[in-house]
Amino acid sequence: MIKFSIIINTHNQDKFIYEAINSCLKQSYQNFELIVLSTSNKKIQIQKFLKYKKKIKFIHKKPKFKQPELNQMDKIYKGFKSSKGEYILFLDGDDKFHKDKLKKLKEISKRYKIYCNQDLPLIFSKNFQKLLSIKSYKYNFFSKFLFND
C-alpha cells in the first residue's frame, strides 16, 4: 500500500493554514502522514488537530538564516528528514489539495509502474521520467549546499 508524506511549509500564513491542513485530512485516500513546518511568529493552534496526532507532525522552527529563501530550504530539508512516505508531496500553507489528489496519484503510480527502490522516495518529471532519488537529493544536494548533519 502506497504511503505519501505531505510536507506543508508555512510562514505567516495563519489565515490559510487550517484550510490547507484540513484539505489533507479530508483526502479520500488516507495512507499518508502530514508534516507541518512553520517559522511564523504565531504558533499553529495544534489542539484543533489532537484527534489526528498520529497522522500529523508539527515542527516549529525559529528562522536560522536572515534570508527567507534559505529558511524555506531549511524547513524543506527538515521535512525530508522527518518523512517516512514512499512519495513526498509539497503544499504551501496558503494552498489546498483536491479531496482525491492522493487517490489519483496512487492510481497514476500503479498505471505507470512508478515504484520506489530501496524504500526511498523518488522525484519524477511531469512525464513520469525518474529524475533522481530523494536519497541523493536529500543527502547530496542539501547537505553540500547548506547543511551539516
Side-chain angles (χ1 to χ4, degrees), residues 91-128:
L91 180 64
D92 287 334
D94 60 352
D95 208 349
K96 51 189 172 180
F97 281 163
H98 183 278
K99 68 179 180 74
D100 291 326
K101 182 175 182 89
L102 299 182
K103 179 181 171 186
K104 289 181 181 186
L105 286 172
K106 180 186 141 208
E107 292 166 4
I108 288 169
S109 69
K110 287 189 176 194
R111 184 179 328 135
Y112 290 97
K113 295 183 173 53
I114 300 170
Y115 297 105
C116 298
N117 60 352
Q118 302 169 354
D119 295 323
L120 294 170
L122 305 174
I123 296 175
F124 293 91
S125 67
K126 285 184 179 181
N127 62 354
F128 303 106

Side-chain angles (χ1 to χ4, degrees), residues 33-62:
E33 66 177 343
L34 180 58
I35 303 167
V36 182
L37 298 113
S38 172
T39 53
S40 298
N41 296 332
K42 290 173 84 176
K43 286 192 178 181
I44 297 169
Q45 297 177 0
I46 60 175
Q47 67 272 15
K48 292 182 178 188
F49 302 103
L50 287 179
K51 69 180 182 179
Y52 301 103
K53 64 183 176 183
K54 290 184 180 180
K55 194 171 275 293
I56 304 177
K57 181 180 201 176
F58 289 97
I59 302 171
H60 184 80
K61 291 183 55 51
K62 289 188 176 185

Side-chain angles (χ1 to χ4, degrees), residues 2-146:
I2 294 173
K3 182 171 184 179
F4 293 97
S5 293
I6 303 170
I7 298 173
I8 299 179
N9 179 3
T10 182
H11 178 76
N12 291 336
Q13 295 166 320
D14 305 328
K15 290 185 209 175
F16 311 104
I17 188 63
Y18 300 105
E19 283 184 60
I21 292 170
N22 281 322
S23 77
C24 296
L25 295 174
K26 293 178 180 175
Q27 288 295 302
S28 56
Y29 181 77
Q30 284 288 307
N31 194 14
F32 68 89
E33 66 177 343
L34 180 58
I35 303 167
V36 182
L37 298 113
S38 172
T39 53
S40 298
N41 296 332
K42 290 173 84 176
K43 286 192 178 181
I44 297 169
Q45 297 177 0
I46 60 175
Q47 67 272 15
K48 292 182 178 188
F49 302 103
L50 287 179
K51 69 180 182 179
Y52 301 103
K53 64 183 176 183
K54 290 184 180 180
K55 194 171 275 293
I56 304 177
K57 181 180 201 176
F58 289 97
I59 302 171
H60 184 80
K61 291 183 55 51
K62 289 188 176 185
K64 191 174 180 178
F65 304 99
K66 290 183 181 179
Q67 301 88 349
E69 297 83 6
L70 294 180
N71 285 315
Q72 185 174 13
M73 288 182 70
D74 184 44
K75 287 187 291 182
I76 291 169
Y77 177 69
K78 298 299 181 202
F80 272 133
K81 285 183 69 172
S82 299
S83 67
K84 293 180 175 40
E86 295 174 75
Y87 297 93
I88 297 176
L89 304 167
F90 293 96
L91 180 64
D92 287 334
D94 60 352
D95 208 349
K96 51 189 172 180
F97 281 163
H98 183 278
K99 68 179 180 74
D100 291 326
K101 182 175 182 89
L102 299 182
K103 179 181 171 186
K104 289 181 181 186
L105 286 172
K106 180 186 141 208
E107 292 166 4
I108 288 169
S109 69
K110 287 189 176 194
R111 184 179 328 135
Y112 290 97
K113 295 183 173 53
I114 300 170
Y115 297 105
C116 298
N117 60 352
Q118 302 169 354
D119 295 323
L120 294 170
L122 305 174
I123 296 175
F124 293 91
S125 67
K126 285 184 179 181
N127 62 354
F128 303 106
Q129 291 180 340
K130 180 179 163 185
L131 296 179
L132 51 108
S133 74
I134 291 296
K135 182 178 182 180
S136 64
Y137 192 68
K138 181 160 74 173
Y139 296 107
N140 294 337
F141 174 75
F142 280 119
S143 296
K144 288 180 183 173
F145 182 68
L146 275 181

